Amino acid sequence: MMTKKTKKEDFRSPGHVFTLIGDKEGLMRRQGHTEGSLELMRKSGLADGAIICEIMNADGSMARYDNLKQIAEKHKMELIKISDLVEQK
């Protein structure tokens, strides 16, 4: 679990890792993945930071909503959209 004491060294970083900084106004100004992940952390009462990744299809293309919906159903996971978080504000 990520807390205010979490350090960079607490995570493995395979492949390439890019540091992203969310917009200070969050989802009210920019409805991006970075801002959405930070909003989820805030709503959960956790540290103001998150780790995100992009899921790829077997053919190397980026998974989109329909692909992600199938993955979520297969693994019994919740799937939300950034628009769901914006509507909750």
Side-chain angles (χ1 to χ4, degrees):
M1 174 169 58
M2 207 165 140
T3 69
K4 292 184 187 242
K5 295 181 182 179
T6 303
K7 303 178 302 295
K8 178 178 108 173
E9 295 79 28
D10 294 331
F11 299 96
R12 285 189 263 162
S13 52
H16 52 275
V17 177
F18 299 102
T19 302
L20 303 173
I21 299 172
D23 190 287
K24 289 182 183 193
E25 294 181 42
L27 291 172
M28 299 324 270
R29 182 167 175 165
R30 181 175 183 275
Q31 289 83 48
H33 295 104
T34 304
E35 291 75 17
S37 63
L38 292 171
E39 182 65 23
L40 282 173
M41 296 297 284
R42 289 184 197 113
K43 287 182 178 293
S44 299
L46 299 172
D48 194 18
I51 297 172
I52 61 176
C53 69
E54 188 148 11
I55 297 174
M56 298 174 70
N57 295 314
D59 67 2
S61 63
M62 297 302 154
R64 300 296 178 217
Y65 183 76
D66 290 339
N67 309 113
L68 297 171
K69 188 174 177 184
Q70 291 175 353
I71 293 167
E73 289 171 357
K74 177 180 178 181
H75 296 284
K76 297 182 170 92
M77 298 168 63
E78 292 291 324
L79 178 66
I80 63 169
K81 298 179 281 186
I82 294 187
S83 60
D84 296 332
L85 293 171
V86 173
E87 291 170 9
Q88 291 178 3
K89 286 203 108 4

